[in-house]
Amino acid sequence: MAQDQSVRSGSSARELLRLRALAASAPSDALTEIKHFLTGNPRDPDALRIAATAHRRLGQKELAERAEIAAIDVSKDTPAILEAVRLIGEREFGEASRLAATHLQQHPDDLNAATLSAETAIALGLPERAIPLLEEVLTRAPSYLLARTLLINALSMVDRLRDARAVLEPMVRRMPDAVRMQELMAKIAANQGDFARAIEASAAITRLDSNSAEAWVNHGDNLRFGGHKDGAVAAYRSALAAAPDHGRGWWSLADIDAKVLDDSDLEAIRGSVQNRADDPEHLCNLEFALGIAEHARGNHTQAFAHFSRGNVVRRLVEPEGTRLVPEQVDFYLDKITVDRIPSLADPIAGQPTPIFIVGMPRSGSTLVERVLGRHSQIEALGELPVVPHMVDRMKLEAPDSMVAQLVSDQTEKQLGQMGEWYVARAAELMKQQPKPYFTDKMHMNWRHLPLILK
């Protein structure tokens, strides 16, 4: 096992301090002495980090990274690191974060501890804290796969999709058969509206894992939104071949075109309802699929019955929504009156101006966006998740029931920063020559109208 730095002998600690100073002033001499030190202490992570520092000062980037990766490898046996990993595995993220942060304060050069600290921050919904830690790790160990993957996730969580993709692209090229890398690419590209790239990535996943119903459904979704209806139908059929009772597969097939469902399909869905009776997530999608199919056939009474049963099951999956949403809306209506909503602000100089299209699904929002998108000065960006993500981060400060109060308490400075963040993230999705206006038709933004207006 690696020597625990906290119980290292006094003479060894003093020797490492001397070598650290020598690495800063005379790196070549330091490397000669570190090699001698490592013959007796081959798995000392601090010595390896000092060697990395010396190599960097000599401009030997590749050797420096090798030393950093070696230090990461041997430090995995450090008791504090082992305990933090165990806590993360048991989803004790708060305690793991505290332990990693304490260890990092004592050993600021420990890239393993920095990465674990970032991992716990992401798990706790604090990607902003993780990003600088991971960027520092990757400046010293660019090939460290875990840190690079975590950075992609953290950047995606704060809607910095362009930056996330820039980090991911070389990894996909280097590891084209890595399913996780292709999954990240498909997700990021789809969120960017680049469905050609999303289709390419999700197709790769289906080749690598052809028996995964989820992979086929996700591929079908990318094909659908990329304008390839027939391909999407075929992908959904492939999902159902892999898992005949897959709720989202049947719902997706019904939703894209209920006319493709024949009598045998409806019998199969009804059988799946029985097979999935104890699985609410699949069951509600199966009921909704039957509702869509019966509606398309003009059987409105049966359709309504299936939609009703699906909604009952959905409330089992999301019980809080039926209470919190009305409470939030009532609070807004009571506290944020017309006289407290500011008049329209002037556009930010040099930045595009958003046009929010707000409404319930199937209410005509797509038609409105298409009409506006035909204007030469307006770019249609579809459903942007940026506002909901900002609200999700606010929820970290208080429970759901207090979010409305948090919105009403935002200062002008905070609101200005949020507005600038929103426009910057949306601008990433615009074409190379941005137009003066863009649309955002995220349906559920009606829940966040007070924040948008403020």
Side-chain angles (χ1 to χ4, degrees), residues 291-364:
I292 294 169
E294 295 289 10
H295 174 76
R297 294 180 174 209
N299 301 325
H300 301 131
T301 300
Q302 295 94 318
F304 189 85
H306 287 299
F307 287 133
S308 295
R309 284 197 288 271
N311 282 328
V312 169
V313 178
R314 174 58 65 190
R315 283 193 286 273
L316 295 176
V317 178
E318 301 175 4
E320 285 297 301
T322 56
R323 177 181 61 82
L324 289 175
V325 173
E327 286 182 0
Q328 186 183 72
V329 171
D330 287 343
F331 180 91
Y332 286 147
L333 291 174
D334 181 48
K335 300 295 184 184
I336 305 180
T337 55
V338 173
D339 61 304
R340 292 189 61 191
I341 296 174
S343 59
L344 292 177
D346 292 330
I348 302 172
Q351 295 291 330
T353 299
I355 300 171
F356 291 92
I357 302 169
V358 181
M360 297 298 285
R362 302 295 186 268
S363 64

Side-chain angles (χ1 to χ4, degrees), residues 280-302:
E281 189 60 48
H282 282 283
L283 182 58
C284 67
N285 282 316
L286 291 166
E287 291 285 5
F288 292 149
L290 284 171
I292 294 169
E294 295 289 10
H295 174 76
R297 294 180 174 209
N299 301 325
H300 301 131
T301 300
Q302 295 94 318

Side-chain angles (χ1 to χ4, degrees), residues 347-354 381 422-424 426-428 430 434-438:
I348 302 172
Q351 295 291 330
T353 299
L381 292 186
Y422 171 84
V423 172
E428 288 189 11
M430 300 183 75
K435 296 180 180 180
Y437 299 90
F438 65 90

Side-chain angles (χ1 to χ4, degrees), residues 378-395:
I378 301 172
E379 182 169 348
L381 292 186
E383 300 177 13
L384 303 183
V386 184
V387 171
H389 287 174
M390 288 195 296
V391 174
D392 286 342
R393 289 194 287 276
M394 292 174 69
K395 290 178 182 178

Side-chain angles (χ1 to χ4, degrees), residues 108-129:
D109 289 341
D110 190 333
L111 299 188
N112 218 334
T115 303
L116 289 174
S117 187
E119 185 174 358
T120 59
I122 292 170
L124 292 168
L126 302 169
E128 297 94 339
R129 296 184 186 178

Side-chain angles (χ1 to χ4, degrees), residues 155-156 158-166 188 191-193 351-352 379 381 384 386 421-432 434 438:
L155 290 168
S156 298
V158 297
D159 299 299
R160 288 174 55 185
L161 300 181
R162 186 181 296 167
D163 293 337
R165 186 162 169 176
I188 290 171
N191 286 337
Q192 288 182 305
Q351 295 291 330
E379 182 169 348
L381 292 186
L384 303 183
V386 184
W421 175 266
Y422 171 84
V423 172
R425 302 286 72 78
E428 288 189 11
L429 304 177
M430 300 183 75
K431 301 295 188 291
Q432 289 184 343
F438 65 90

Side-chain angles (χ1 to χ4, degrees), residues 210-229:
S210 60
N211 293 321
S212 170
E214 284 295 318
W216 280 111
V217 172
N218 292 335
H219 184 46
D221 289 345
N222 288 328
L223 286 163
R224 175 181 182 174
F225 294 115
H228 306 283
K229 178 183 173 181

